[in-house]
Each structure stands twice: as C-alpha cells, then as structure tokens.
Amino acid sequence: MAYPFVGDEVGGSHISAVGLICALDQSKYKPLVILHQPGKALEAYLTERGVSFVKSPEVAVMSPRHSYGVAGKLSRGFGYARTTALLSSFLREHEVDIVHTNDGQMHATWALAARLSGARLLWHHRGDPDAFGVNVMAPLLANHIATVSRYVQPTRPILPVSHKLSVLHSPFDHPTILPDREDCRREFVGELDLPEETRFVGYVGGLIDRKRPVRFVEVIHAFLQRFPDFPLVGLVFGIPSPDLPNPEPEMRARALELGVERRIKMMGFRAPVAPCMSALDALLVPAINEPFGRTLIEAMLLETPVIATRHGGNIEAIVDGVTGFLVEPEKPEAFVDPLARLLMNAGEHRRISSTARENALTKYGTEAHVKGISLLYERIVGREYRSFGVRRTAP
C-alpha cells in the first residue's frame, strides 16, 4: 500500500491518512509512506507518530492549481511523461498493489503512474466537487473514489462513477479524558494578559480564503455591535498555506477598520489542539465549500459547541439546534444570535455540547473508518485484474 505525500505541511488530510496508516492491520497490509519533500512539517509529524517513510524519486510535483501557456504546457507534458515513467518504475520495484492518494497534487502526480505500474488506485477526494481531477482524471484512472462527504462527490464526471464511489467520513480519535475547560481558559487569559472574566471564541484551521478568516473578524465585530460590554475575544489558531495567498494582512486591516483589533488575537499553529479547543466557549466556522472539516468534529468530541455556515459538508456534520448551529454563509451577523445563546445561557451550552459529543462518539471513529477503507482495499485487489496491459495477481 503506497501513500504518497508532498511533505511540506500537515493538514486535516494528513492527520486522517496517518491515523489510518497507524491503525491498519499490519498482518494484512504493508504501508509504504512516500515523501517528496522530507525534512519538513510532515516528516516531523510522522516521526512523532512512529511512522517510517521513504523518499520519492526526484520528480516534479504536479499542481492542479497552476495554469500554463503553450510553451509551458509542452514543457509540463515532457515533465509529466518523465515523472510518470520514474514513479511507475518505483512502484513496480516496491511491488505496490494499491496507491492511495489523498490530495490534489498527489492525485495529479501519481494517478497515471499507479495504473501503468499495474497497481490499483484509490482516489481519496477531500476537496472541490467541481475539480477537474475528480471529474475527469478519477473517472478514467481510479479503481475507486472515496469522498469525505456527500457534498464533495464529483458533480460532472465524464464517465459514470456510481459503481466505484463511496462516502467515508474521516477518522477521529476519541478523547477519554477531557481537559478542564476553565483551566484552559485561564491559561490563555494569563498568556494574553487579559481580564479574568474574558470569554473566548475561536477560529481553528488553515488561513486560506475558502475558510473565510476575514469573516471571523467580522463576526466578532457584529457580536460586539450588539453586546458592546461583553468581554469577548476571538482567538485565531492557524497559519497560512505555503502555496496560497496569505489573508492575515487583510484580517489585521479589517480588524483595525472595524475597531476590534484588540479583540482579535493571532495565535499561530498550536499542538496539541485539545487545550485550545477546550478554552473556547464556541468554535466559529465561517467557511464555504468546506468538504468535511475536521475541526467541527474535534470540537464536538471536546464538548465545544460549533456554529458553522449552512454550506458544504458542514450540513452533514451538524444537526441545527441539536448538535450545533448552522447559519447563513457570508453573513457575519447571522452568528450573533446563536453565539449569544451559548455565551449567556449555561444550560443551552451544556445541552448542545453534551449532545454533540454523544453524536460524534457514535458516528465518527477510527475503527469504522479503517474498516471501511480495508473493505475497499479488499474489493479492488480481491481478484486477478488487468491494468493498462499489465497483468497482476493480488496476494
């Protein structure tokens, strides 16, 4: 089983994939973790989890985000041919039966090489349902497509895919001992030198436009417009993506413009995340097109209520008014009423948080995810098969 990654960052897809790798039945599966860029964030995370890896052959990583002129397309075509040949040879050398790709760059880089090597391809889609890859490349090349929610299933596949499409929610560890919420809150009160009565709400995730971090700033402003004396501070836990525009300057400028710059604290990346989540009275998720955000479920498991936009995979994760709140996207003021209910009514906070945890414990576990993926592995290599002229027999 080959699991290729770029290696330059650790996000939700990496956490889910590494959790799967660690939980696989080692008597049946031999994971081969491959890094294109060792020595960066993912290597440290793998080392912490005790997961070994090998370095990828020296090839260009394909990016589905870049556009090219005619000359660039020709150059890219030659580069892709070389990449495919080298990776295909690498997979045959390591006798790989399944290549399990987890993000757009790895889909684009490894898909054709996997099929030409004779391996099966499990395309794990966690992003845009309109993406070129999942609508064109995956129908042609993938033996199976697993999506993290119904929302991200391909919208316009060029070939029928219903026979090879499954929805499998990401795996989550279940914390058995919850952090003391009041102790966690006081830790941040002390770190930030704030008044003892300060209450926190948070943004947790990468600082990218799709997650709408600027809207988070605007939610804090909208709440304080209604309740100007409430001691609310918004904590932003996250860092920009290395290959996308950084929204932090816009966040700071918007906070200054709205007069809430002292109520927004940029906290950077923090690990472990549990004390950060537990310090919050609510997690705010202003994102749009969110495939199936890990932070929503992590918050529920830690009894931190969630208020999220009624958009994307959020709708599949939250039952409005029962396990959290769903609000209209792109409208910061829509967050104010449910946030006020949570901040000013301890009984409502307990009701939502306890129901959310019970629901998350029942529905989202590593065991169920690993079982689902293992069944897919068995399904796609359970018999002799032909792949682009290469005949192989599954062990």
Side-chain angles (χ1 to χ4, degrees):
M1 325 296 303
Y3 303 87
F5 302 100
V6 178
D8 58 344
E9 61 181 338
V10 179
S13 65
H14 306 95
I15 294 170
S16 296
V18 173
L20 167 70
I21 291 164
C22 291
L24 283 173
D25 183 346
Q26 301 294 315
S27 69
K28 295 175 66 175
Y29 308 108
K30 286 184 62 177
L32 179 69
V33 178
I34 306 162
L35 295 189
H36 285 265
Q37 297 179 17
K40 296 192 175 182
L42 187 54
E43 180 180 341
Y45 183 70
L46 292 172
T47 301
E48 177 186 322
R49 296 295 301 269
V51 177
S52 60
F53 68 91
V54 298
K55 189 178 185 308
S56 165
E58 292 289 345
V59 297
V61 173
M62 301 293 113
S63 175
R65 297 191 184 100
H66 294 164
S67 59
Y68 301 85
V70 174
K73 287 177 180 177
L74 286 173
S75 174
R76 189 187 188 210
F78 286 124
Y80 190 54
R82 176 183 177 275
T83 290
T84 299
L86 287 172
L87 296 184
S88 180
S89 176
F90 173 87
L91 292 170
R92 284 193 295 269
E93 177 187 341
H94 285 82
E95 299 182 338
V96 170
D97 292 293
I98 296 176
V99 177
H100 185 159
T101 52
N102 286 277
D103 64 73
Q105 289 178 291
M106 295 297 91
H107 299 323
T109 304
W110 287 82
L112 183 56
R115 298 307 307 273
L116 288 175
S117 76
R120 294 300 218 187
L121 174 64
L122 178 59
W123 182 297
H124 209 144
H125 187 62
R126 308 168 187 272
D128 186 354
D130 296 319
F132 171 84
V134 78
N135 285 282
V136 177
M137 291 182 68
L140 289 169
L141 295 174
N143 296 98
H144 202 87
I145 304 167
T147 67
V148 295
S149 64
R150 292 187 296 276
Y151 170 72
V152 300
Q153 292 178 336
T155 53
R156 297 186 301 276
I158 63 170
L159 295 173
V161 295
S162 59
H163 64 291
K164 60 176 184 179
L165 183 66
S166 301
V167 176
L168 287 172
H169 294 309
S170 299
F172 295 87
D173 293 331
H174 291 174
T176 54
I177 301 176
L178 300 182
D180 185 286
R181 302 184 65 83
E182 187 60 20
D183 285 348
C184 293
R185 186 189 69 84
R186 287 200 187 101
E187 282 290 325
F188 285 110
V189 165
E191 176 184 334
L192 299 169
D193 194 23
L194 294 169
E196 175 61 31
E197 66 273 16
T198 301
R199 307 279 289 278
F200 297 117
V201 295
Y203 171 106
V204 180
L207 299 184
I208 59 176
D209 180 65
R210 174 176 58 76
K211 292 181 181 289
R212 296 296 196 260
V214 175
R215 292 286 180 273
F216 176 79
V217 173
E218 294 170 347
V219 171
I220 302 301
H221 171 258
F223 182 88
L224 292 172
Q225 285 288 100
R226 183 98 61 90
F227 305 99
D229 297 325
F230 195 90
L232 185 70
V233 169
L235 304 182
V236 179
F237 296 99
I239 57 176
S241 175
D243 58 348
L244 290 174
N246 180 3
E248 190 169 340
E250 185 182 355
M251 294 174 67
R252 293 185 184 278
R254 187 65 172 143
L256 188 63
E257 178 187 358
L258 295 173
V260 294
E261 69 277 7
R262 298 178 66 181
R263 301 293 192 106
I264 304 292
K265 305 296 182 182
M266 307 301 293
M267 308 299 290
F269 175 79
R270 300 286 180 109
V273 73
C276 305
M277 287 275 203
S278 297
L280 305 177
D281 282 286
L283 174 73
L284 308 184
V285 183
I288 61 169
N289 297 319
E290 188 75 350
F292 193 80
R294 288 191 62 85
T295 55
L296 280 75
I297 309 303
E298 289 170 340
M300 291 178 184
L301 289 166
L302 291 165
E303 295 190 345
T304 296
V306 180
I307 307 173
T309 51
R310 188 178 284 106
H311 203 273
N314 296 343
I315 298 168
E316 297 173 44
I318 293 175
V319 180
D320 187 30
V322 179
T323 62
F325 294 100
L326 294 170
V327 301
E328 192 171 349
E330 306 288 31
K331 290 199 172 180
E333 62 275 13
F335 284 79
V336 175
D337 283 341
L339 182 54
R341 288 172 63 180
L342 292 172
L343 290 172
M344 301 175 189
N345 186 329
E348 181 74 346
H349 193 282
R350 282 194 299 271
R351 179 184 73 84
I352 291 290
S353 61
S354 61
T355 305
R357 177 171 163 81
E358 290 171 11
N359 181 270
L361 286 171
T362 302
K363 293 175 64 176
Y364 307 110
T366 299
E367 184 178 345
H369 180 77
V370 172
K371 182 178 179 181
I373 292 291
S374 297
L375 288 173
L376 291 183
Y377 288 163
E378 293 172 15
R379 174 178 170 182
I380 64 179
V381 297
R383 60 183 181 275
E384 285 195 345
Y385 60 88
R386 290 184 180 274
S387 177
F388 283 73
V390 180
R391 180 181 175 130
R392 302 189 57 191
T393 304

